[in-house]
Amino acid sequence: MSWAACSLLAACPAGRAAPPSYNRDIRPILADRCFACHGPDSGAREADLRLDQEAAALASVIVPGNPDRSELIARVASNDPDVRMPPAEANKPALTPEQIDVLRQWIAAGADYEPHWSYIPPQRPVAPAASIGAIVHNEIDRFLAARLESLGWAPAAAADGPTLVRRLYFDLTGLPPTPEQVDEYLNDQSPEAYVRLVDRLLASEAYGERMASWWFDLVRFANTVGYHGDQEHRITPYRDYVIKSFNDNLPFDQFTIEQLAGDLLPNPMMWQRVASGYNRLLQTTHEGGAQDAEYRAKHLADRVRNVSETWLGASMGCAECHDHKFDPYTQDDFYGLGAFFADVDHYGSFEKVAKNTTPSERPPEMLAWTLPVYREIEKCDRRIAELEQSLVGVIDAKWQERLHELSEMKAARAQLESRFEPTMITQAIEPRTVRVLPRGNWMDESGPVVEPHVPHCFKQLDIEGRRANRLDLARWIVARDNPLTARVTVNRLWQRLFGVGLSKTVIDLGSQGEWPVNQELLDWLAVEFMESGWDVKHVIRLMVTSHAYRQSSRPRPELDAVDPENRLVGRQSRFRLDAEQIRDNALAVSGLLVMQTGGGVSRPYQPAGYYAPLNFPEREYEPSTDSNQFRRSAYVHWQRQFLHPWLVAFDAPTREECTAQRPVSNTPSAALVLLNDPSFVEAARALAERTLNSGGASDDDRLQWAWRIATGRRAASEEISLLAGLLEQHRRHYRDQREAAGSLVGVGVSSRDTAIDAAELAAWTSVTRVLLNLNETITRN
């Protein structure tokens, strides 16, 4: 959205002109057109002029209250190309008349500067009063309704029951509801029915898997090293830690601390040490010619980028080679943040440690349990405790039997304990010296030595007499007075549930980011998040129980003309499902989905020879041949260099860098994947078989049943008619083929299909392939 549109949506109530605000109206113009040459980057600064600092600007080119005497206006409004700013060689367009007018108004009003909104710790604003007749379920609705009403609009009506249930299931679990689950909700007349459904889904195992996929994009979790041979590395228990943490509703501040510094906690438990594997998720290599010092520099830079983007919504990667051109981050800040991780790497390159094998060793590693083993051990421990308690001071007829069971349980536990899996962890070493690298050049060691410190524009750590460490950094990130972390997190959660963040730039809340269209709501949510004890489920529950979330997503032409991106949340948003959800949905509706939380890796079918370019070592992809083939996509093998074609077609990231929001494309490749990828063909065949066995006696009954399974609603008569025509066309085709061949022709019919005619199953598979390819099937409404 343009700065002008954003200003419109953030403006004062209708009928009263909004005075220009530096943060809302002026900073976006200056950041886009001026800061590259007149901003924070001292190395690129022209004419020794800074427009990002009030004192410098007022001392040179701005006369508060008098735009006509201000050199800034004279320059940006000039028709002389030798005078006009920005100059042609800056490759930036001239300011528009509207932008110049806003600058004039701001200077005339006094040219008041403000600290960047996201660098001011959030305070809880008072929620506006609701108007009579407004539908208000919580404070979220008050903020949104007040903004809509100020512009002459009202919220949309609630979505119909089937749409709302399907939306909620996809958003909280990543899976579709069954028709029985939809009917259960529709038949529950209690006023608390919806809230009970929310709580049930938040408590489901599928919730943690859904949230984990979001987190994996941020922290760039993958199963391979990324560089050179892109060999597998061992990190599966970390994946299970993330899923477990979301399901257990581990407070987000503790979740943060354990990943950044789990190894530095007093007597860390297994999961906390596993969590520290976060520091090892970056790309590495053991190429024969790799330089150790080069890769230490790469690792430092990678970690600074990821920590700053994941938790702070800050583009600190721009300060690796020079001071940031738009935000107050210096090159010293970049390397000061990197110095916190100077105790992580035992090795830069793994060339001398791990040879050309896959999976490769990436020490330090530890042996840890995956989640299924851990839960079996927990179950054993509970039973052992019960048995030991029952044996204290009691000798009865069952005493010997309980004693025998206790012995068996202890033996079973010992056997479970041996089912460890190696996983990369962090194990602190003596911190190495970190220097500022001039222009980011790892071979230039002439820069000054830096100690660990947070960016200078924020409150500094209160530490004396010792070196700051990762634990200090983690605690600073989730401190109450850190202005960024809570805002960044709730903004991203909002984006997942409403389609676009309150600030659209969910990866960057700095000067190049977008002013929030409803900062009061964003700040209220951030404070609520922190004061709830960093309770992620609590914040999500607030969002999904609001009327704003429950609204219909049907277009509102008049409002959409003013607000095409639905920033006012005058309705719900429609958007395509993520790649993982699309596959999981196909497996679920087909009946193939295997639900198992944690454990092994799923390797779906993929084209033969796809890994042919991979070397060191050469390898053949071997798809899973057991139940892992049909597990959820949170467990799919993630090959950074050769991401599965289905993931590529539906815009999943390679996870080389932090991804806070995936792009959404609409390409022929995606449709072809849904039609021809073996996983989707097999899902279509299984859905066809389910339809023939369970969908009813007539074609119309079966078509209606399959449509509802795939889309969550009942089909209209025209839709049934179209599918019936397709079914009959393919029946004739496959029957003609059978007669020509003189035998059964089918689509991989197995022994369990002996009661189903192969040609009939093939015809129905053609129908279900269409159903899985419907826009409605892969869209969250």
Side-chain angles (χ1 to χ4, degrees), residues 377-495:
I377 290 174
E378 281 188 314
K379 191 183 300 182
C380 277
D381 286 344
R382 285 194 296 271
R383 183 55 182 158
I384 287 171
E386 291 171 1
L387 290 168
E388 289 178 337
Q389 183 64 32
S390 72
L391 292 170
V392 175
V394 178
I395 299 178
D396 56 19
K398 293 188 176 181
W399 184 86
Q400 194 67 37
E401 181 182 326
R402 290 196 296 270
L403 187 62
H404 178 69
E405 184 184 354
L406 177 61
S407 176
E408 288 186 335
M409 291 302 298
K410 287 184 175 180
R413 192 191 192 285
Q415 187 174 18
L416 284 169
E417 284 181 357
S418 66
R419 290 168 57 185
F420 286 113
E421 186 162 322
T423 189
M424 298 185 297
I425 60 168
T426 304
Q427 187 174 322
I429 60 173
E430 184 67 24
R432 63 183 178 86
T433 299
V434 173
R435 294 178 179 274
V436 172
L437 300 180
R439 299 179 63 85
N441 182 357
W442 63 273
M443 293 187 288
D444 186 345
E445 298 185 354
S446 64
V449 173
V450 292
E451 294 297 313
H453 68 85
V454 301
H456 75 278
C457 56
F458 300 118
K459 180 181 177 181
Q460 295 299 292
L461 299 174
D462 186 14
I463 294 173
E464 293 184 5
R466 66 173 177 86
R467 178 189 173 96
N469 59 31
R470 286 177 283 111
L471 188 55
D472 299 314
L473 172 64
R475 288 170 173 162
W476 172 81
I477 285 174
V478 292
R480 177 61 180 83
D481 57 0
N482 185 308
L484 292 171
T485 307
R487 279 188 178 119
V488 167
T489 306
V490 298
N491 190 46
R492 289 171 180 168
L493 293 174
W494 186 274
Q495 181 266 327

Side-chain angles (χ1 to χ4, degrees), residues 61-171:
V61 295
I62 294 176
V63 180
N66 197 332
D68 291 332
R69 291 182 54 207
S70 297
E71 183 69 11
L72 176 64
I73 297 298
R75 289 302 191 101
V76 299
S78 175
N79 292 322
D80 185 344
D82 293 330
V83 175
R84 185 175 58 236
M85 290 288 162
E89 58 267 24
N91 294 316
K92 291 182 177 293
L95 272 65
T96 66
E98 293 81 8
Q99 290 172 320
I100 295 171
D101 185 55
V102 169
L103 285 175
R104 293 183 66 91
Q105 292 179 46
W106 172 66
I107 294 174
D112 290 330
Y113 273 69
E114 300 169 300
H116 190 276
W117 67 269
S118 69
Y119 301 151
I120 305 170
Q123 302 298 320
R124 188 192 292 271
V126 176
S131 63
I132 297 174
I135 304 175
V136 173
H137 293 301
N138 57 40
E139 285 80 355
I140 290 173
D141 293 321
R142 297 180 187 275
F143 284 103
L144 293 174
R147 180 59 52 80
L148 281 166
E149 290 166 9
S150 74
L151 297 172
W153 301 96
D160 61 82
T163 298
L164 185 57
V165 174
R166 184 173 171 86
R167 176 191 302 166
L168 194 64
Y169 267 82
F170 273 128
D171 283 352

Side-chain angles (χ1 to χ4, degrees), residues 251-296:
F252 188 77
D253 57 345
Q254 186 65 21
F255 184 58
T256 297
I257 289 168
E258 291 180 356
Q259 290 179 84
L260 288 168
D263 59 308
L264 300 182
L265 293 171
N267 303 312
M269 296 181 293
M270 182 197 78
W271 286 117
Q272 292 172 326
R273 296 184 68 199
V274 167
S276 73
Y278 158 76
N279 296 313
R280 310 291 310 287
L281 293 175
L282 43 61
Q283 297 185 89
T284 57
T285 188
H286 52 72
E287 178 194 357
Q291 299 295 309
D292 205 56
E294 178 184 10
Y295 277 85
R296 289 190 190 278

